[in-house]
Amino acid sequence: MNCLEFRNRLLSAVESQQPVDTELLAEHSRSCSSCEREWQRHQILSQAIGVWNDAVPSVDLADVVVSRWLVEAPGPISFEIPSTSPVLQESETNPSVDRAETSTAEPNVLVIPHSSTSYTSQPNRSRAREVLWIPASLLTLFLILVWNTDNSQLPSTKTFTTRPRNDAKSNPVAKTTVDANETGGTAPLPQLDALIDDMEIGYRELAQSAVITISDAALLSPANENRSFWPSMIMFAPELDGENQPLPETRTTSPVSQGFSKALDLLLEVVPAMESPTS
Amino acid sequence: MNGDDADVVRRCLQGEVDAMHLLVERYQSAVFGLCFRILGHREDAEDTVQDVFLRTFRHLRKWDSLRPFKPWILTIAANRCRTILEKRRTQTKNIDPHLGAIDDESASKTVLRTDLGEELDLALGLLRADYRICFVLFHQQELSCAEIARVMNSPEGTVKTWLHRARKELADHFTRRGIVPEGHYELPRI
């Protein structure tokens, strides 16, 4: 066995949590001073880990945790139960369960109140929640429709793709929010930010198209009949054309409305000029 | 165990207090062991365990029942510990930058076997938070590198690097303290 093989064997045994082939490695370590030192370090660490693992004190925090949960939980905690759930079936068949409470309640909702382990029903709350679902659904539907309408107005030749920003995976300790990370949740903010960026770029391009169209239209007026080129010849230069251009890394700080106001200014300039031949 | 966990979690979601009890009893040792070893302080660890279980109950719906429950709850615990360590680090930096430094010169050449655990705890306290969490998850919770990678939301290769660096720094600590393995004899030099 050579030194490289010695180290590889030691490394793979540690990583795979398998027992080390002590005889073989010890034999090599006797013939090589650097491997001997490595072997000693491994041995002392293994001994320490063995002692360290045995010395964890035991705890019993079940009562504390559950009572804290029942006291500190924010407001009554409701649990929606499917109609076929075993608990409900038990309440239907088991006479020890308080039927007076469950008979007047909504059939599928139980509520745990503050600082109590018993279940009570609150039909009004659940009914109010059911009523709230209707406007909430309608609002969501409305927002989806508005979103689709806005998207259909974007230039059809461009493809807009969202891209994640502040990639948390590249940095293991990066956190968007503490709570989201601690519970393994995903933070939607970077995606939302990218989406807003893409929308902004879309609207900018829409404004730019409006400027070009109106500029071209302005050339039709008698005042500009000697012009030899059209604005779109410049503005649709090859380097600006093309789909799926990489999105700019830096955001411009000028508001989107500036593009539209530019278009409006041009329109106002064109309108009197268009009127002049008819007058 | 996973199917059993799913059943207990389902009962917790239905509001059964007994199921909550059962869930805490089942995982409190693992969670406490992790917190105790990472934080190195019993009272802090107990408080953290309570926090972890409260967060677990709060977000129980997010658990994917197709995956094992233990890594999921250990993820919450590890992240909670990391947050506490970060807070501690900023606080101690403001108070005393030399807090926790070890006087190597005063170390005894012979350390009893029972003290090895304490020495390891001491050395762990000096490690970077990521190394420490990685080491505890590997050697105490006996999770594989792949599982630790999922818990720490990092690539497996990074986890292996952290693990080896942690082991190296701990071994360096023992070397600096002049601790030699039990039953080790200096080999005669020819």
Side-chain angles (χ1 to χ4, degrees):
Chain A
M1 180 187 281
N2 57 25
C3 296
L4 185 66
E5 204 177 345
F6 171 87
R7 279 164 204 264
N8 283 342
R9 279 192 184 224
L10 193 58
L11 206 67
S12 63
V14 169
E15 277 178 9
S16 60
Q17 292 170 321
Q18 296 296 315
V20 181
D21 190 350
T22 314
E23 285 299 317
L24 203 63
L25 297 177
E27 191 183 329
H28 173 76
S29 71
R30 286 189 203 103
S31 62
C32 172
S33 61
S34 71
C35 292
E36 185 202 357
R37 204 160 44 245
E38 199 62 37
W39 181 239
Q40 280 178 19
R41 284 156 64 91
H42 171 76
Q43 277 189 310
I44 190 67
L45 196 56
S46 301
Q47 281 178 19
I49 289 167
V51 178
W52 175 78
N53 264 337
D54 295 340
V56 179
S58 61
V59 284
D60 185 12
L61 297 167
D63 288 335
V64 183
V65 169
V66 174
S67 59
R68 260 189 75 181
W69 169 248
L70 294 170
V71 172
E72 290 180 12
I77 307 124
S78 64
F79 298 95
E80 291 184 11
I81 300 172
S83 57
T84 55
S85 80
V87 174
L88 205 61
Q89 285 168 2
E90 188 186 324
S91 71
E92 286 164 359
T93 55
N94 186 359
S96 66
V97 176
D98 191 356
R99 280 190 166 278
E101 286 184 351
T102 52
S103 60
T104 56
E106 286 288 321
N108 61 346
V109 174
L110 293 178
V111 175
I112 299 178
H114 272 296
S115 63
S116 169
T117 55
S118 63
Y119 300 126
T120 56
S121 60
Q122 294 189 359
N124 290 337
R125 183 180 288 275
S126 63
R127 199 162 292 134
R129 196 183 299 128
E130 280 175 10
V131 170
L132 276 174
W133 268 109
I134 299 163
S137 308
L138 288 171
L139 184 66
T140 311
L141 196 63
F142 174 73
L143 287 172
I144 290 168
L145 284 172
V146 168
W147 169 247
N148 285 337
T149 310
D150 284 352
N151 270 348
S152 66
Q153 289 171 359
L154 293 173
S156 59
T157 55
K158 300 286 177 188
T159 305
F160 299 100
T161 54
T162 58
R163 66 199 190 288
R165 291 191 169 192
N166 304 327
D167 190 7
K169 281 185 180 176
S170 63
N171 180 3
V173 294
K175 293 178 180 183
T176 310
T177 60
V178 170
D179 197 52
N181 266 352
E182 284 176 359
T183 55
T186 53
L189 287 176
Q191 283 81 4
L192 190 63
D193 192 30
L195 187 65
I196 290 167
D197 280 357
D198 291 344
M199 286 172 67
E200 187 187 324
I201 291 162
Y203 277 109
R204 277 186 195 285
E205 293 194 0
L206 186 64
Q208 195 187 23
S209 300
V211 170
I212 294 161
T213 308
I214 295 165
S215 305
D216 286 352
L219 291 175
L220 292 172
S221 72
N224 291 316
E225 56 188 5
N226 292 328
R227 292 280 289 272
S228 59
F229 60 91
W230 295 79
S232 54
M233 291 169 73
I234 302 167
M235 299 184 90
F236 286 131
E239 63 269 20
L240 292 178
D241 203 0
E243 295 182 357
N244 296 324
Q245 288 274 349
L247 296 169
E249 286 300 317
T250 54
R251 283 173 61 173
T252 52
T253 51
S254 62
V256 180
S257 60
Q258 272 186 11
F260 286 109
S261 65
K262 195 177 170 187
L264 189 64
D265 290 344
L266 272 165
L267 190 63
L268 289 172
E269 278 178 23
V270 169
V271 167
M274 295 285 279
E275 281 174 0
S276 59
T278 53
S279 63
Chain B
M1 181 59 101
N2 199 27
D4 199 15
D5 282 340
D7 184 53
V8 174
V9 168
R10 188 181 54 77
R11 284 166 54 206
C12 285
L13 287 170
Q14 288 168 355
E16 277 192 43
V17 177
D18 288 345
M20 292 180 182
H21 251 281
L22 186 62
L23 197 69
V24 178
E25 280 170 3
R26 190 175 286 178
Y27 289 103
Q28 64 180 352
S29 298
V31 175
F32 177 75
L34 180 73
C35 296
F36 180 65
R37 286 308 184 197
I38 292 174
L39 300 175
H41 191 270
R42 187 179 175 126
E43 279 72 28
D44 283 357
E46 285 183 2
D47 289 346
T48 311
V49 170
Q50 292 178 37
D51 276 355
V52 167
F53 277 105
L54 292 181
R55 278 161 193 266
T56 303
F57 288 146
R58 212 172 288 146
H59 300 278
L60 210 48
R61 282 183 192 283
K62 291 181 185 172
W63 174 58
D64 180 2
S65 59
L66 298 175
R67 292 186 170 198
F69 189 79
K70 189 179 173 184
W72 187 70
I73 196 169
L74 289 180
T75 306
I76 299 174
N79 285 333
R80 191 80 203 113
C81 288
R82 190 149 56 183
T83 308
I84 292 169
L85 286 178
E86 189 61 29
K87 275 185 192 169
R88 242 190 231 176
R89 194 176 64 83
T90 50
Q91 282 168 359
T92 50
K93 198 186 279 180
N94 293 336
I95 296 167
D96 181 7
H98 301 294
L99 203 68
I102 301 165
D103 182 11
D104 285 341
E105 289 175 7
S106 66
S108 169
K109 281 282 176 186
T110 52
V111 177
L112 294 173
R113 185 179 153 75
T114 47
D115 294 336
L116 273 178
E118 289 173 21
E119 278 293 331
L120 188 58
D121 257 338
L122 195 67
L124 265 179
L126 301 173
L127 286 186
R128 219 178 86 171
D130 287 329
Y131 294 2
R132 199 187 309 184
I133 294 168
C134 188
F135 182 87
V136 175
L137 285 171
F138 188 82
H139 285 294
Q140 195 207 29
Q141 301 295 330
E142 294 177 345
L143 298 188
S144 67
C145 288
E147 284 173 320
I148 297 171
R150 277 197 294 275
V151 167
M152 298 185 76
N153 194 23
S154 302
E156 195 178 335
T158 308
V159 166
K160 284 181 182 175
T161 307
W162 285 346
L163 180 65
H164 289 298
R165 284 185 188 164
R167 286 176 60 90
K168 183 184 176 303
E169 286 189 24
L170 293 172
D172 286 344
H173 171 85
F174 284 122
T175 308
R176 277 198 307 274
R177 302 273 284 170
I179 300 166
V180 292
E182 199 174 65
H184 171 78
Y185 301 101
E186 192 71 25
L187 292 173
R189 298 282 172 212
I190 302 168

